[in-house]
């Protein structure tokens, strides 16, 4: 046998499979091939080639090398690194990396245009078609529909030469960004940070900088300077900008397009498959030089990646919790290392992990202490709900309502922040006390008034709100407990009847276009009160927004996982940071039952340092991240008995390693999801331990039986 090709398949298989390289195929690492798997042919990627001399096993042969371009070696290296880090099968990240390769290509489409020739015979129907054709170039069927006539009329005009069909090729090439256009005139502190980033890019190679600047300090302007340096210094250099929310990508895309006079590649789950294919191919050919995207953009096949920016780096949305479990910030740093690229982590409230790396000198630390121009940080006040509670059945306290009234009177805008979708987080029967839960999951059902349904936010299960209690059959006994954004919207409308009130949550804003529209409407001052979940509370600039009311500042502190305080601090600093971003002073009011809590005190005093110092101290004592490392094992099964046995077996074979402690198994807080019982182990390790290797070794010692599934979560963010 001549050579053996190990082929990675985009499937959850533990390793690459060996195939024989057929005579004359001359494969290279990274090539995309078709390989037989069972009765099917699968797309795969050549991970390695070796001499087959002395191998007697019969091997299937690679069927063909695909026409699609090969993956760059560093992309392949990154995919394999990510799998090892996440203790998962390499086929999982490979599947993400090939997502664009497998999308259909955009097809050319035909549109109808006027030729200039006058029709020999004019009828009212023909006139309508000519008017519609003059207004827009549409495909024939759409033109007929737009004119309100039958297709025959359009065809007649085509036959007469009055109209002609033109074939439009799909947009192929990306516009070349112009890195030499002047950016904004930077303030002294912005210029200093930009210089430092430019130096970092100029020096080349892998380095990480933490761009730590208060909300509205111009971090985006500054990192765009670093991008300009990278693009200008090397005509093939590529830049990746990662954002935590699709809603935020739109604003950054617009700013990139203005800064470089070129539309960047856009990459997230909302991008249509042909457009994805175009970005994927553009990134691979090098023609697409700037990508703005969500976390999975990290797996694109960059040819010459020189700079990765992770904007809002602290954001928990960078953690992918399902399927291939990874944290995009951590993998961005890894990708930067593999590619020899600069990495910029930007945030107003950096994660403790990144702050620790900055403190110890592993990262450069660039600070922007003030807002740009005359804008000042908002004044933050605490509303003690024990002293000034809202009226019964209401959620906005008298001080907040008064502040809203004053703000609206001045013609300014209010943002009410509540990180809870729907109308009410809990529905219960006042006759029997039963809480409404999904049939196969033990989370509460959330009431949605717009759709009239009870929804499980975890699995998507939903049902119409029943007229009678399903448990005791009492009629009209179901009551809604607590507020969601829809309920706060209702209250705001009833309090301020003249005000234009809108809701921004993933239920009212389905896609990137809708998000963009709502953000623009708000920025244009056409909304007076925006009630929003975190989807709208981050990153945006609304010039007339001067009051942010946090409806339930304590929300994130309940449940008490490791990062509860940190996350609450970050989220509320972000949300309150939306106020007063231009010339008008801003104000934020936090409604809380815990005004003495360290998080509330730090927010009110705008004293991040004190909060970080206290939080770091606690983490250090307990050996928790960033001072130690964590991993979780989540085992699940439809059969409780089998799950029990598996967990017992797993506990018995946990490797005994100094510096590692294993806790559990315990029932997961969500112990039933989609009919599966769930149990968790938590592993804490010293930083010196290779936790991924430990977890891989542990898992290799037990083989799940039947329907038992095991997922490993390195650095868990969710403890459910
Ligand atoms: P951050 O990313 O730190 O929240 P942005 O980069 O979004 O801040 O800047 C906040 C606002 O201030 C934006 O509207 C931005 O265009 C504006 N801005 C920041 N720096 C400058 C500058 N040097 N010149 C003009 N406008 C600026």
């Amino acid at each position: 046998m001549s050579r053996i090709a190990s082929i990675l398949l985009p499937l959850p298989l533990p390793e690459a499979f060996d195939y024989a390289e057929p005579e004359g195929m001359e494969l290279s690492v990274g090539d995309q091939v078709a390989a037989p798997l069972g009765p099917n042919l699968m797309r795969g990627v050549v991970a390695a080639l070796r001499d087959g001399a002395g191998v007697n096993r019969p091997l299937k042969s690679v069927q063909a090398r695909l026409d699609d371009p090969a993956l760059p070696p560093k992309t392949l290296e990154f995919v394999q690194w990510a799998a090892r880090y996440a203790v998962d099968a390499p086929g999982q990240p490979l599947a993400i990396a090939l997502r664009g390769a497998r999308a259909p290509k955009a097809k050319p489409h035909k549109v109808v245009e006027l030729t200039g020739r006058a029709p020999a015979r004019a009828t009212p129907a023909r006139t309508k078609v000519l008017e519609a054709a003059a207004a827009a170039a549409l495909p024939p069927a759409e033109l007929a529909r737009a004119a309100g006539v039958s297709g025959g009329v359009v065809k007649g005009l085509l036959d007469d030469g009055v109209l002609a069909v033109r074939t439009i090729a799909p947009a192929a090439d990306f516009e070349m960004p112009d890195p030499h256009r002047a950016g904004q005139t930077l303030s002294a502190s912005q210029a200093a940070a930009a210089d430092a980033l430019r130096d970092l890019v100029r020096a080349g190679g892998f380095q990480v900088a933490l761009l730590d600047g208060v909300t509205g300090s111009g971090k985006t302007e500054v990192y765009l300077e670093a991008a300009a340096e990278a693009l200008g210094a090397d005509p093939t250099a590529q830049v990746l900008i990662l954002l935590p929310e699709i809603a935020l990508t739109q604003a950054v895309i617009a700013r990139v397009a203005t800064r470089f006079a070129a539309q960047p590649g856009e990459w997230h789950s909302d991008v249509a498959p042909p457009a994805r294919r175009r970005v994927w191919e553009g990134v691979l050919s090098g023609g697409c030089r700037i990508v703005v995207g969500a976390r999975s953009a990290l797996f694109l096949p960059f040819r010459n990646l020189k700079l990765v920016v992770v904007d809002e780096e602290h954001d928990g949305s960078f953690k992918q919790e399902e399927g291939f479990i990874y944290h995009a910030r951590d993998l961005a740093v890894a990708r930067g290392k593999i590619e020899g690229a600069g990495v910029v982590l930007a945030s107003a409230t950096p994660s403790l992990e990144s702050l620790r790396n900055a403190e110890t000198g592993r990262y450069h630390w660039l600070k922007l202490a003030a807002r740009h121009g005359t804008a000042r940080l908002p004044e933050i006040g605490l509303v003690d709900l024990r002293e000034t509670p809202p009226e019964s059945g209401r959620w906005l306290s008298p001080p907040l309502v008064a502040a809203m009234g004053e703000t609206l009177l001045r013609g300014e805008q209010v943002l009410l922040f509540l990180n809870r979708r729907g109308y009410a987080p809990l529905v219960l029967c006042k006759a029997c006390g039963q809480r409404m839960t999904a049939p196969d999951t033990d989370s509460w059902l959330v009431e949605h008034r717009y759709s009239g349904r009870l929804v499980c936010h975890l699995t998507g299960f939903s049902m119409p709100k029943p007229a009678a209690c399903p448990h005791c059959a009492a009629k009209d006994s179901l009551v809604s407990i607590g507020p969601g954004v829809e309920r706060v919207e209702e209250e705001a409308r009833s309090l301020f009847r003249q005000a234009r009130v809108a809701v921004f949550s993933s239920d009212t804003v389905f896609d990137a276009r809708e998000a963009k529209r709502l953000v623009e409407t708000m920025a244009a001052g056409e909304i007076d009160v925006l009630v929003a979940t975190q989807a709208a509370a981050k990153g945006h600039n609304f010039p007339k927004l001067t009051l942010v009311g946090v409806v339930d500042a304590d929300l994130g502190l309940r449940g008490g996982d490791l990062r509860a305080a940190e996350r609450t601090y970050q989220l509320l600093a972000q949300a309150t940071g939306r106020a007063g971003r231009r010339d008008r002073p801003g104000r934020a009011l936090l409604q809380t039952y815990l005004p003495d809590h360290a998080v509330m005190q730090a927010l009110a005093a705008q004293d991040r340092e004190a909060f970080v110092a206290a939080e770091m101290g606690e983490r250090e004592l307990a050996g928790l991240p960033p001072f130690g490392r964590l991993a979780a094992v989540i085992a699940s099964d439809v059969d409780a008995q089998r799950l029990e046995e598996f967990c017992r077996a797993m506990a018995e074979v946990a490797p005994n390693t100094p510096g590692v402690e294993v806790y559990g198994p315990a029932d997961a807080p969500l112990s039933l999801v989609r009919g599966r019982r769930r149990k968790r182990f938590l592993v804490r390790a010293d930083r010196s331990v290779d936790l991924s290797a430990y977890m891989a070794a542990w898992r290799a010692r037990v083989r799940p039986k039947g329907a038992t599934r095991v997922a490993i979560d390195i650095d868990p963010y969710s403890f459910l």
Side-chain angles (χ1 to χ4, degrees):
M1 192 180 305
S2 52
R3 286 202 301 177
I4 295 177
S6 12
I7 309 287
L8 272 183
L9 300 169
L11 295 172
L13 302 166
E15 56 198 8
F17 282 178
D18 283 348
Y19 290 87
E21 178 188 47
E23 213 53 54
M25 195 178 273
E26 296 298 323
L27 291 169
S28 304
V29 169
D31 279 350
Q32 296 196 55
V33 296
L37 186 74
N40 301 316
L41 276 182
M42 279 288 300
R43 178 191 293 265
V45 174
V46 179
L49 289 154
R50 63 180 194 278
D51 191 9
V55 174
N56 306 322
R57 294 184 285 147
L59 289 177
K60 289 188 181 171
S61 294
V62 172
Q63 181 85 32
R65 188 201 339 248
L66 300 177
D67 272 347
D68 296 329
L71 281 193
K74 284 179 179 165
T75 303
L76 198 57
E77 187 182 337
F78 173 64
V79 159
Q80 288 169 308
W81 190 93
R84 187 193 165 279
Y85 176 80
V87 199
D88 205 336
Q92 299 271 49
L94 181 69
I96 307 176
L98 290 180
R99 228 176 247 166
R102 295 192 285 181
K105 279 194 180 190
K107 295 198 183 76
H109 68 286
K110 293 186 162 55
V111 296
V112 178
E113 290 177 330
L114 296 170
T115 58
R117 186 185 295 180
R121 193 167 53 81
T123 63
R126 289 188 148 203
T127 309
K128 276 195 227 153
V129 171
L130 297 183
E131 281 169 5
L138 299 172
E142 273 179 45
L143 178 62
R145 214 173 307 133
V149 303
S150 74
V153 184
V154 174
K155 177 156 190 310
L157 287 165
L158 282 168
D159 290 345
D160 287 359
V162 178
L163 296 176
V165 169
R166 184 159 67 96
T167 304
I168 298 187
D173 292 346
F174 283 83
E175 297 160 326
M176 270 297 130
D178 176 0
H180 304 298
R181 280 164 67 102
Q184 304 273 15
T185 309
L186 299 183
S187 68
S189 60
Q190 289 176 340
D195 279 342
L197 287 186
R198 271 193 289 261
D199 286 347
L200 181 147
V201 170
R202 221 174 281 136
F206 168 66
Q207 291 186 70
V208 188
L210 175 62
L211 181 55
D212 175 359
V214 297
T215 51
S217 56
K219 294 183 291 298
T220 314
E221 301 297 339
V222 169
Y223 72 64
L224 289 180
E225 292 305 311
E229 177 68 31
L231 296 169
D234 172 350
T236 64
Q238 293 171 304
V239 173
L240 168 64
I241 302 175
L242 290 178
L243 292 149
E245 305 266 349
I246 295 177
L248 283 179
T249 53
Q250 301 306 304
V252 172
I253 285 171
R255 285 171 78 169
V256 167
T258 310
R259 178 70 179 77
F260 299 113
Q263 205 61 30
E266 177 175 358
W267 184 271
H268 48 72
S269 57
D270 237 26
V271 174
R276 257 194 232 187
R277 172 80 178 243
R278 175 169 172 259
V279 172
W280 194 86
E281 289 186 345
V283 165
L284 186 51
S285 71
C288 177
R289 300 189 56 205
I290 312 177
V291 174
V292 177
R295 57 194 175 210
S296 62
L298 204 48
F299 293 88
L300 283 167
F302 288 97
R303 202 100 331 265
N304 186 19
L305 185 61
K306 284 291 176 225
L307 179 68
V308 186
V309 176
V310 184
D311 201 351
E312 311 291 358
E313 68 88 34
H314 63 276
D315 200 301
S317 307
F318 280 122
K319 183 77 197 271
Q320 162 76 32
E321 309 263 33
E322 296 221 325
F324 182 60
I325 300 174
Y326 67 95
H327 197 302
R329 179 199 343 114
D330 298 345
L331 288 197
V333 172
R335 177 117 205 209
K337 190 162 188 190
I338 288 171
E339 302 278 346
V343 180
V344 176
L345 309 177
S347 174
T349 49
S351 60
L352 295 192
E353 282 80 354
S354 297
L355 280 174
R356 180 79 190 138
N357 281 325
E359 278 170 7
T360 52
R362 276 193 289 269
Y363 294 174
H364 302 268
W365 195 354
L366 310 173
K367 297 182 197 174
L368 296 172
R371 284 200 159 174
H372 177 68
T374 52
R376 294 279 154 269
L377 281 168
E379 217 167 87
I380 298 183
L382 302 179
V383 177
D384 186 342
L385 291 177
R386 296 167 308 184
E387 286 176 8
T388 50
E391 287 170 32
S392 143
R394 302 231 166 205
W395 314 102
L396 303 176
S397 64
L400 179 53
V401 172
M404 288 174 70
E406 289 159 21
T407 307
L408 295 174
L409 209 59
R410 284 196 301 269
E412 296 167 357
Q413 293 170 306
V414 178
L415 176 77
L416 293 179
F417 173 65
L418 176 62
N419 214 7
R420 238 185 207 154
R421 294 159 51 201
Y423 184 83
L426 169 64
V427 176
L428 62 74
C429 171
K430 62 178 186 235
C432 70
Q434 194 74 38
R435 294 167 173 186
M436 298 298 121
T437 54
D440 63 348
T441 300
D442 62 3
S443 68
W444 298 344
L445 290 176
V446 176
E447 179 179 3
H448 285 242
R449 282 267 162 109
Y450 285 146
S451 58
R453 299 181 79 83
L454 304 181
V455 181
C456 172
H457 285 176
L458 200 72
T459 64
F461 166 87
S462 78
M463 63 189 236
K465 188 177 174 189
C469 172
H471 303 278
C472 71
K475 285 231 155 58
D476 296 326
S477 66
L478 298 183
V479 287
S480 315
I481 308 291
V485 278
E486 291 177 13
R487 198 167 198 177
V488 172
E489 177 203 20
E490 185 180 271
E491 186 173 339
R493 278 190 204 282
S494 77
L495 287 167
F496 302 100
R497 294 191 179 276
Q498 307 298 319
R500 295 160 296 179
V501 183
V503 173
F504 194 131
S505 81
S506 56
D507 302 295
T508 58
V509 175
F510 309 104
D511 56 22
R513 205 180 315 149
E514 185 55 25
K516 185 162 178 246
R517 197 191 60 75
L518 195 58
V519 166
E520 282 169 0
T521 313
M522 180 72 182
E526 288 159 21
I527 294 170
D528 299 311
V529 179
L530 185 64
V531 186
T533 60
Q534 60 173 340
K538 306 172 192 171
H540 301 294
N541 287 305
F542 302 126
K544 280 173 71 186
L545 173 63
T546 57
L547 175 66
V548 171
V550 177
V551 178
D552 183 353
D554 313 335
L555 184 60
L557 294 174
R558 296 180 203 129
D561 67 58
L562 159 71
R563 291 187 178 81
E566 180 188 0
R567 206 166 35 217
T568 301
Y569 182 86
Q570 288 162 340
L571 194 54
L572 297 186
Q574 278 294 325
T576 55
R578 294 312 104 210
R581 287 170 71 91
R582 285 284 161 84
D583 41 359
R584 305 174 200 222
R587 188 175 170 202
L589 288 176
L590 310 184
Q591 300 196 135
T592 174
Y593 285 100
L594 307 166
D596 301 325
H597 194 287
V599 170
M600 302 306 152
Q601 289 294 321
L603 284 164
Q606 314 238 7
D607 192 351
R608 190 185 89 188
E609 255 78 297
F611 171 72
V612 167
E615 190 69 17
M616 287 272 199
E618 286 183 22
R619 301 262 188 104
E620 187 163 19
L621 271 179
L624 291 173
F627 300 92
R629 308 190 57 210
L630 291 180
V633 178
I634 303 111
S636 67
D637 198 323
V638 286
D639 183 315
Q641 178 76 30
R642 194 170 45 205
L643 178 62
E644 207 61 51
E645 281 161 20
F646 174 79
C647 286
R648 211 172 307 129
M650 185 141 188
E652 266 167 28
V653 297
N656 209 340
T657 304
V660 179
E661 294 118 44
V662 176
Y663 303 96
D667 281 341
L670 276 174
S671 63
L672 181 69
V673 174
R674 293 190 182 93
R676 298 179 73 83
R677 302 266 151 209
R678 302 167 78 243
K679 283 189 164 286
R680 296 180 63 103
F681 290 89
L682 188 66
V683 182
R684 196 212 67 83
D686 292 346
R687 279 188 64 91
S688 54
V689 174
D690 181 345
L691 189 53
S692 297
Y694 177 90
M695 299 303 288
W698 185 10
R699 189 167 62 186
R701 293 181 176 189
V702 258
R703 196 171 269 280
K705 289 198 206 86
T708 305
R709 267 190 242 144
V710 184
I712 291 178
D713 184 351
I714 295 289
D715 197 17
Y717 270 55
S718 157
F719 293 79
L720 293 179

